[in-house]
Amino acid sequence: MEYLDMYLVHWPVKLKPWNYSAVPPEDDFEPLDLESTWAGMEKCLDLGLCRCIGVSNFSSKKIQSLLDFASVPPAVNQVPYKKKTREQFKKHTLKNDYYRTFKHSDSNGDYKKAYL
């Protein structure tokens, strides 16, 4: 592989190395150095290792924090589709890539169709 089309920071969090839990306890979170993480991603972009850099699951507040120091703004913020999410991100110029599952389970574990 020569390059990635899109390189994303998937979650704006950092976990302790030994944590493999789907829902980690609060004590297993560490401070995220987003500034150096983003600088490394910008370097990958400069080296041609990726064509675009972006984020996923960032709140509007986290996006603003990133934009305060980023030399290259994120190309996209990949977030689950919700009506309030669309309103929240209108003020930012980056594109939002909304995703939604085609099936979801109810409280009994039975799968139902999700309507987009």
Side-chain angles (χ1 to χ4, degrees), residues 34-35 38 42 53-55 58-77 88-96:
L34 186 55
E35 194 164 347
W38 195 254
E42 288 176 341
I53 54 177
V55 296
F58 271 50
S59 66
S60 186
K61 186 177 176 182
K62 287 274 188 193
I63 293 286
Q64 189 55 56
S65 172
L66 175 61
L67 292 173
D68 288 344
F69 59 79
S71 299
V72 178
V76 68
N77 183 23
Q88 184 181 24
F89 291 109
K90 274 187 177 178
K91 68 180 179 180
H92 298 292
T93 57
L94 69 132
K95 295 182 182 192
N96 287 297

Side-chain angles (χ1 to χ4, degrees), residues 69-89:
F69 59 79
S71 299
V72 178
V76 68
N77 183 23
Q78 189 180 66
V79 293
Y81 178 80
K82 296 176 187 161
K83 285 184 181 179
K84 80 173 192 178
T85 308
R86 290 183 65 180
E87 293 299 317
Q88 184 181 24
F89 291 109

Side-chain angles (χ1 to χ4, degrees), residues 1-9 40-41 43-54 75:
M1 180 168 30
E2 294 178 29
Y3 63 87
L4 296 173
D5 284 327
M6 178 67 69
Y7 188 27
L8 299 175
V9 175
M41 293 179 72
K43 181 76 170 172
C44 289
L45 187 63
D46 291 342
L47 293 171
L49 299 174
C50 56
R51 291 198 172 173
C52 296
I53 54 177

